[in-house]
Amino acid sequence: MFIARVGLGERVAFAVVEGVDAAGIPAADATVEILQSHPFGELVTTGESFPLTDVRLLPPMIPTKIIGIGKNYADHAKEMGGEVPAEPICFLKPTTTLIGTGDVIRIPWQSEHVEHEVELAVVIGRMARNVKPEEALDYVLGYTVANDVSARDIQKRDGQWTRAKGFDTFLPMGPWIATHLDPSRLALKTLVNDDVKQDGSTHDLVFDVPALVAFCSESMTLLPGDIILTGTPAGVSPIVDGDVVQCVIEGIGEIINTVEA
Ligand code: MG
């Protein structure tokens, strides 16, 4: 099942998206079935249905926290000049980084080197505290596509990542949450102006999704809607004014964002 958060004029609602194929591509006649409430319990629709093309796709969740994981693909750790860490490296991104597909990534004046990072984003479905890896997937609502946009010059200069990864618009996410996926072997890609820059698989995660959910839950209680960004594969590259950035994950779909200085 695919669950979106949609804008209908002034109104915002969660909705089930019907008419999306197994690759995550919507049919021309795809629809959204509006939900009465949030998607964490039993899903009850209001009976309202709209063409997908008539609604705005918003970031599919507004979480209480967004936990990023650094250097979680060996090939990316290497391109950043580092080693794979012994345990996951966690950082937080503010919720004000979130934008949806179709929104604009704004390059801040403070940076001259901003890069894309396609990532599988885990959406937590139930409160999780000290869960074990074997049970971790029971606490996951589903998965979505994220771009952990990063100001590389500031990241190096600051010595930690809060500001470099925390600028407004630095987390395009969407287009919806896929609730049915096995996250262990999904192809993920970034294209900039139709050129393939990143082309990886979640099979190459150093710490897999169950390990990350368990690890994070040992430090902080995970609440419904919270997001874990699982890290990015090799191929990160600069994005500049006018670029079109497309992040795609097999079985979920794609987000497309233009870049403005
Ligand atoms: Mg990242």
Side-chain angles (χ1 to χ4, degrees):
M1 185 186 293
F2 296 94
I3 298 174
R5 197 169 140 265
V6 300
L8 295 144
E10 297 291 294
R11 189 174 157 205
V12 172
F14 287 102
V16 175
V17 187
E18 299 285 359
V20 178
D21 70 16
I25 310 297
D29 62 353
T31 60
V32 295
E33 314 295 320
I34 303 299
L35 291 171
Q36 283 185 3
S37 184
H38 59 68
F40 303 116
E42 190 189 351
L43 300 183
V44 182
T45 58
T46 62
E48 298 164 283
S49 177
F50 299 93
L52 177 62
T53 49
D54 284 4
V55 301
R56 205 155 71 87
L57 289 169
L58 305 172
M61 193 56 70
I62 299 294
T64 71
K65 55 186 165 297
I66 301 160
I67 304 169
I69 305 295
K71 298 181 182 174
N72 200 26
Y73 287 82
D75 56 357
H76 174 63
K78 194 173 171 192
E79 77 178 347
M80 296 296 290
E83 297 287 316
V84 169
E87 57 181 8
I89 298 174
C90 299
F91 61 93
L92 291 173
K93 269 176 104 96
T95 55
T96 40
T97 54
L98 278 168
I99 58 173
T101 184
D103 292 337
V104 172
I105 299 167
R106 298 202 180 276
I107 306 288
W109 61 264
Q110 294 94 331
S111 176
E112 291 179 351
H113 186 176
V114 173
E115 294 189 334
H116 56 79
E117 293 188 356
V118 64
E119 309 204 2
L120 178 73
V122 180
V123 184
I124 297 297
R126 291 166 54 199
M127 190 167 83
R129 174 81 186 142
N130 285 325
V131 304
K132 295 183 177 66
E134 310 85 78
E135 58 183 7
L137 293 185
D138 297 343
Y139 293 82
V140 173
L141 175 68
Y143 305 92
T144 189
V145 182
N147 182 355
D148 175 23
V149 178
S150 305
R152 215 58 87 192
D153 45 359
I154 294 174
Q155 188 175 359
K156 290 193 178 112
R157 206 160 69 226
D158 283 2
Q160 47 85 4
W161 306 348
T162 304
R163 202 163 62 105
K165 289 173 175 282
F167 287 99
D168 290 357
T169 76
F170 268 27
L171 188 56
M173 197 168 79
W176 36 63
I177 299 162
T179 61
H180 52 278
L181 284 184
D182 172 356
S184 64
R185 196 180 285 267
L186 299 173
L188 70 173
K189 272 185 195 181
T190 303
L191 298 87
V192 178
N193 307 325
D194 292 329
D195 285 342
V196 176
K197 298 291 187 182
Q198 294 184 279
D199 187 1
S201 167
T202 59
H203 187 60
D204 296 324
L205 285 170
V206 176
F207 301 100
D208 64 10
V209 170
L212 292 175
V213 171
F215 182 82
C216 292
S217 83
E218 289 169 358
S219 304
M220 55 193 113
T221 301
L222 303 176
L223 297 178
D226 282 354
I227 305 289
I228 300 173
L229 305 173
T230 55
T232 200
V236 297
S237 70
I239 52 175
V240 297
D241 185 61
D243 282 347
V244 177
V245 185
Q246 182 182 6
C247 294
V248 190
I249 302 183
E250 178 186 12
I252 303 175
E254 64 178 20
I255 52 174
I256 300 177
N257 300 90
T258 52
V259 180
E260 283 182 26

